Amino acid sequence: MNDDDLITLVREQRGSVEMTTPVDQIIGRGRVLRARRRVPGLAAGALAVAAAAALAVTALLPGSHPAGRPLPAQLTAWTVTRQADGTITVTVRQLRDPAGLQRTLRADGVPASVTFFGHEPRACQRYPKVSAILMAEVFGGHGPPLVIHPKALPHGAGVQLSPGHYPHGAPIALAAELVQASRGCTGT
Amino acid sequence: MGTNRPDFAEFYRRSKDECLFTVLLSVGDRDTAQELLAEAFARAWASWRTVSRHPAPAAWVVRTALNAHVSRWRRHRREVPLADPGAIADRPTAGEAFDSPVDPRIMAALLRLPERQRQVVALRLFLDLDTARTAAALGIAPGTVQAHLGRAIAALRADLMPERQKETPS
């Protein structure tokens, strides 16, 4: 296989996904955006305030937590450690064995969904009341490792872990989000 | 206003799947990629007079989608780097591969590329932009585009070829 064959092989992948949103739906949304532009400043101002609030909150919070007596569940690809104060520390070295990580987190009392490849479960819906403050309460600092505070999870919320990237210059990263807890998504 | 609709509809039909794959490559989740891209296409429609004159409208859409992803990431996601960023994943299990919309081995190899190389691969190979337009879209020199593409292909070859060669009887 030469370079051209390799490029062809990689290019073939783009045919494996299809954007299914109808063009009329796109145009309908475009009309809303165009109309909103006639009221300048409203949407942009709201976004700027939200971003500034997020930065302010995360800057004020501590980036680490007091270590208790860890009860490590040690595996090669990732480590989950429960601290004495109830916080859960997740260190991921490789995106392997998502089912095992999901089981471990659930056993430690975190309603969790973990997906490293493919689709996230259809049952998973974003937690609607997410805010920068809530994110900081549940996940604390910016790690690594990822720290989860199960006691800060609101009733009906769970954690979803998936692959992510930093936007620029980016090491491969693990992304954590809040989702609505449900049997099909987080197990409870 | 209505006169631009046929142009836009044709542009959407022609470029939507390539754009989706390109965004998927950066985002890693199909539903999220589709949501981001739908919003980016809507913005393109709202500014179609300008966007249609862009040298690479598809690149404009992809960039808009990825910028939106960054904004969302800042507000709703917490990301921490992997302890070993060079080793994103081994070969996925059969079950994981079955769920994936793309070949997970190739996807993992693409995701292992450094960000800039992945961007160049996305624009050159998936959006079919030439070197000059890729360079303009990324704000880098054409020679740098060539260098990144060469390194990316070498990395993909090293990642994918040994196993492929084993599968092919000589």
Side-chain angles (χ1 to χ4, degrees), chain A residues 1-4 6-7 9-34 36-38 47 50-51 54-55 58 90-99 116-122 126 130-132 135-137 139-147 162-178, chain B residues 1 4-5 8-9 12 16-18 20-21 24-35 37-39 41-43 45-49 69-70 72-85 87-90 92 96-97 99-108 110-115 118-119 121 124-128 149 152-154 156-157 160-161 164-165:
Chain A
M1 183 186 282
N2 58 30
D3 282 354
D4 287 342
L6 179 66
I7 289 171
L9 175 72
V10 172
R11 270 189 164 140
E12 281 171 357
Q13 298 304 305
R14 66 182 169 179
S16 56
V17 292
E18 184 186 359
M19 177 90 176
T20 54
T21 310
V23 68
D24 289 344
Q25 195 174 318
I26 299 286
I27 291 172
R29 173 67 182 153
R31 284 205 176 94
V32 171
L33 292 173
R34 186 180 271 183
R36 196 179 286 173
R37 223 185 276 156
R38 293 179 190 134
L47 281 177
L55 286 173
T58 50
V90 183
T91 302
V92 175
R93 298 173 194 85
Q94 293 187 335
L95 299 180
R96 292 173 55 199
D97 190 19
F116 288 160
F117 284 91
H119 296 298
E120 290 158 3
R122 292 221 171 270
R126 285 199 184 85
V130 71
S131 67
M135 289 292 286
E137 286 173 349
F139 297 114
H142 285 271
L146 175 69
V147 176
S162 57
H165 311 88
Y166 282 126
H168 300 294
I172 300 298
L174 179 72
E177 295 177 85
L178 293 179
Chain B
M1 181 160 103
N4 62 18
R5 282 191 60 176
F8 177 84
Y12 180 71
K16 63 186 176 63
D17 295 343
E18 284 80 5
L20 177 61
F21 187 79
L24 175 64
L25 194 56
S26 287
V27 172
D29 168 60
R30 183 177 174 165
D31 292 339
T32 303
Q34 178 148 322
E35 197 178 313
L37 201 53
E39 183 71 9
F41 271 115
R43 289 187 196 183
W45 185 90
S47 305
W48 186 237
R49 194 174 293 175
H69 180 57
V70 172
R72 173 188 289 184
W73 166 78
R74 284 183 179 144
R75 277 177 287 146
H76 298 309
R77 300 182 101 194
R78 180 60 45 94
E79 294 203 0
V80 295
L82 298 186
D84 180 4
I88 166 174
D90 279 356
E96 288 166 337
D99 284 342
S100 177
V102 297
D103 182 332
R105 193 170 37 171
I106 295 176
M107 190 69 171
L110 288 166
L111 288 172
R112 284 191 193 98
L113 296 175
E115 180 77 3
R118 210 164 53 236
Q119 289 170 345
V121 166
R124 287 283 285 110
L125 303 188
F126 300 142
L127 292 187
D128 287 326
L149 186 61
I153 289 171
L156 291 171
R157 170 185 286 282
L160 298 170
M161 295 289 280
R164 296 248 161 215
Q165 283 170 341

